[in-house]
Amino acid sequence: MYFAALLARTEDGWEASDTELDDVETLSDLADLAREASPDDDTVLVLIEQEDSWFGVVRIDGEEDPRIFVSDAAAAARSSYGEILLTDELLGRDPGDDDDLDALDLDGTEDGENEDEDDDEDEDEGVVSTVNGSSAEAVPHGPVGDAGILDDLGVGEKELRSLSADAVTEIADALGASEVLETVR
């Protein structure tokens, strides 16, 4: 089960809104959605959590590029919402990496060779999932991104990395926004 919410920082404190991510396909779409929640270019946090698996924080400060932290990249890679956050830049890949020859399935059949010769080997290999067109093997287990994303808001890097099961609630508690978050939960 997923939970996603926007927390917008205003002059009066934090305002929370439930957010639907079904129409969000890219990080840019997510950033635009967050910016709509704060007409005054205040800080907006997008908190995404998959129960007992992973959580992500996206921070939007006005027109600046989004800052991202994901608690477990490998777990997030298996999620459509996680794939939105796992950009090439976040994973330390060049944007063109998915076009290189290693990513292609060159098994010799493209030259008209017989595919049946290699069938026994292929059956044992299994399927490799992909993230943004690249193999999931390149996705590290564990946290990725800017662990200092919430430092100035009272959640330090060490604390953020140690959060687990109910991370979104713990982050909201530390920000003093737990009551407003509960209204959208």
Side-chain angles (χ1 to χ4, degrees):
M1 183 159 113
Y2 291 95
F3 175 72
L6 295 173
L7 286 178
R9 190 174 180 179
T10 67
E11 292 177 1
D12 301 325
W14 291 97
E15 290 182 8
S17 58
D18 190 11
T19 187
E20 186 61 48
L21 298 179
D22 290 343
D23 295 331
V24 175
E25 295 180 9
T26 66
L27 181 60
S28 180
D29 293 343
L30 186 62
D32 290 344
L33 181 70
R35 287 184 182 107
E36 289 173 11
S38 177
D40 296 328
D41 289 339
D42 291 319
T43 298
V44 179
L45 301 177
V46 180
L47 305 174
I48 303 172
E49 179 177 74
Q50 182 181 5
E51 192 172 285
D52 297 330
S53 183
W54 67 276
F55 71 92
V57 178
V58 179
R59 179 176 177 160
I60 314 298
D61 291 305
E63 291 300 318
E64 292 181 26
D65 288 340
R67 295 170 54 195
I68 306 165
F69 175 80
V70 176
S71 66
D72 186 338
R78 295 184 296 269
S79 157
S80 58
Y81 297 140
E83 286 183 350
I84 294 169
L85 306 181
L86 297 175
T87 63
D88 287 333
E89 182 180 342
L90 187 70
L91 296 173
R93 297 188 300 227
D94 290 332
D97 277 356
D98 54 343
D99 292 332
D100 75 17
L101 292 177
D102 293 336
L104 298 176
D105 182 19
L106 300 176
D107 64 359
T109 59
E110 50 274 58
D111 291 328
E113 293 178 20
N114 189 350
E115 192 173 326
D116 294 338
E117 294 174 10
D118 294 327
D119 280 351
D120 294 335
E121 292 174 23
D122 292 342
E123 289 176 13
D124 295 332
E125 290 180 16
V127 177
V128 175
S129 62
T130 61
V131 174
N132 296 328
S134 301
S135 75
E137 292 172 3
V139 178
H141 291 276
V144 294
D146 183 356
I149 193 170
L150 302 174
D151 279 349
D152 64 323
L153 300 174
V155 181
E157 183 175 329
K158 184 177 179 181
E159 184 180 356
L160 186 63
R161 288 181 184 270
S162 69
L163 295 176
S164 57
D166 199 14
V168 168
T169 300
E170 292 180 45
I171 291 169
D173 285 344
L175 298 175
S178 56
E179 286 182 24
V180 294
L181 182 67
E182 283 306 311
T183 63
V184 297
R185 210 176 247 269

